[in-house]
Amino acid sequence: MWFKNLKVFRLSPTWQLSVQDLESKLEKQLFQPGNRSDMQNMGWVSPCENGALVHALNGQYLLALRVEKKLLPATVINQFTKAKALEIEEQQGYRPGRKQLKEIKEQVTEELLPKAFSIFRDTKVWIDTTNHWLVIDAAAAAKSDEVIGMLAKVLDPLPVQSLFTEQSPSAAMTEWLLQDEAPANFSVDQDVELRSSAENRATVRYVRQTPEKEDVTKHIEAGKHCTRLALTWADRVSFILNDSLDIKRITPLDILTEGSDFSNMDDAERFDADMTLMCAELANLLDDLVGALGGEKKTGPQ
């Protein structure tokens, strides 16, 4: 159940809400299958198989937002719209204008929606009430925006703030490469991206390859800066950090489970063991990463 990507936010240190109260608030936006005419529908579901909307364990909360989308490709809509427009042209004796074409397209979409397949996607949310983190398992900003938007509908005021560090990730990663030395408890791995801030946005990528220091120095002196860097934390978790402070491609290393015996656990016990391990390790990783970036800014940019 390890998160693969982390969109990291700060949870207000004054926020206090019991599991029962949070559960009752989430129930107001409980997931219900959409109507046949709905293009998209979303709501909260149980993050595991126990039916609870909040899975709580030692101050750690796990939530899940389900998004249902109708699979209706634009090419299909356009194909049916074109056929309908030709049919109307024959009836009225002239081609439909722009306004009429728009109306035809809307009508076609409404007719096709009930026949479209639904696809479902769950996005997990981890709330750390001890260390005041709110973390969304999402690689794209659009997915995390969905979660924040749905939380805002049930939590007033929304106890979530953006995370800002004293040193920008890009500046820090560039410095680590120049110095050929990662911060304490981290090591640099083999994926690197360097990008120019000039208009052409020239980009150099090293994939599964450690760049030579001379090459990196040459690119940085030419105006490029590091926007993506593979790192390993404490020989326990590998990941990629980008210039937006997103953490991607989380990979727990074997050292975390060496000597552990899960054979006597049922599915629920194994889920809780994984959750406990993930929350503890990622909380420590985030703490060390923020420290490596000069600490946390108390206020964001004005």
Side-chain angles (χ1 to χ4, degrees):
M1 67 144 290
W2 275 72
F3 283 22
K4 299 299 183 185
N5 304 282
L6 309 184
K7 288 281 187 180
V8 185
F9 300 87
R10 259 305 178 197
L11 186 67
S12 172
T14 60
W15 184 73
Q16 292 183 341
L17 202 63
S18 69
V19 175
Q20 293 75 19
D21 287 342
L22 180 56
E23 180 103 16
S24 65
K25 289 180 181 296
L26 295 178
E27 285 176 352
K28 297 175 183 177
Q29 295 291 330
L30 185 68
F31 177 80
Q32 301 289 348
N35 297 323
R36 298 177 71 188
S37 59
D38 290 338
M39 194 70 180
Q40 178 173 297
N41 180 52
M42 64 180 71
W44 299 101
V45 296
S46 175
C48 53
E49 296 182 358
N50 62 9
L53 295 180
V54 182
H55 188 71
L57 196 63
N58 301 321
Q60 311 297 320
Y61 297 171
L62 195 64
L63 321 176
L65 179 70
R66 176 163 296 170
V67 177
E68 175 190 11
K69 288 187 177 182
K70 292 292 179 64
L71 192 60
L72 188 56
T75 52
V76 175
I77 296 175
N78 292 336
Q79 179 183 344
F80 277 82
T81 299
K82 184 178 180 180
K84 187 72 173 178
L86 287 173
E87 180 183 325
I88 292 175
E89 181 181 347
E90 291 177 358
Q91 293 173 357
Q92 64 188 18
Y94 57 89
R95 291 183 178 181
R98 183 176 298 178
K99 181 179 179 181
Q100 191 176 11
L101 276 174
K102 182 180 178 183
E103 292 172 351
I104 294 171
K105 190 171 185 178
E106 290 173 352
Q107 180 186 349
V108 165
T109 302
E110 289 179 7
E111 292 173 353
L112 291 176
L113 266 176
K115 304 174 185 178
F117 289 104
S118 290
I119 56 174
F120 298 88
R121 166 175 50 81
D122 289 355
T123 302
K124 296 287 182 67
V125 185
W126 162 40
I127 297 177
D128 182 345
T129 64
T130 303
N131 300 292
H132 309 296
W133 295 113
L134 186 141
V135 180
I136 301 170
D137 185 2
K143 292 181 181 179
S144 67
D145 288 345
E146 289 173 345
V147 170
I148 297 299
M150 290 296 286
L151 284 174
K153 291 182 178 181
V154 297
L155 300 178
D156 185 22
L158 182 66
V160 179
Q161 304 165 350
S162 296
L163 174 65
F164 297 101
T165 52
E166 289 293 341
Q167 190 175 20
S168 75
S170 180
M173 292 187 295
T174 302
E175 182 180 335
W176 300 340
L177 290 175
L178 274 175
Q179 300 297 327
D180 197 21
E181 184 177 357
N185 231 15
F186 291 90
S187 58
V188 174
D189 292 338
Q190 293 185 318
D191 285 70
V192 179
E193 179 181 273
L194 298 163
R195 181 178 298 167
S196 171
S197 55
E199 188 176 345
N200 62 6
R201 305 288 285 171
T203 303
V204 175
R205 293 187 181 94
Y206 295 86
V207 180
R208 298 188 184 93
Q209 178 183 351
T210 302
E212 296 293 334
K213 183 180 178 182
E214 293 78 8
D215 293 338
V216 169
T217 302
K218 190 181 300 182
H219 286 303
I220 293 173
E221 289 176 347
K224 295 184 180 70
H225 53 276
C226 186
T227 54
R228 182 180 170 95
L229 183 63
L231 297 163
T232 292
W233 169 75
D235 295 326
R236 301 171 75 81
V237 179
S238 292
F239 62 96
I240 289 180
L241 177 67
N242 72 11
D243 54 349
S244 298
L245 198 47
D246 295 330
I247 300 171
K248 301 189 175 187
R249 283 170 40 185
I250 291 280
T251 304
L253 302 183
D254 291 341
I255 191 174
L256 291 177
T257 55
E258 285 179 359
S260 300
D261 184 9
F262 301 110
S263 59
N264 295 323
M265 295 183 180
D266 59 27
D267 289 344
E269 291 171 332
R270 190 175 294 110
F271 186 93
D272 284 352
D274 280 345
M275 178 175 168
T276 298
L277 181 63
M278 182 194 79
C279 293
E281 295 297 328
L282 294 186
N284 288 331
L285 185 157
L286 290 174
D287 188 53
D288 280 355
L289 182 59
V290 169
L293 295 173
E296 188 175 354
K297 281 186 178 179
K298 298 306 178 184
T299 58
Q302 299 299 312

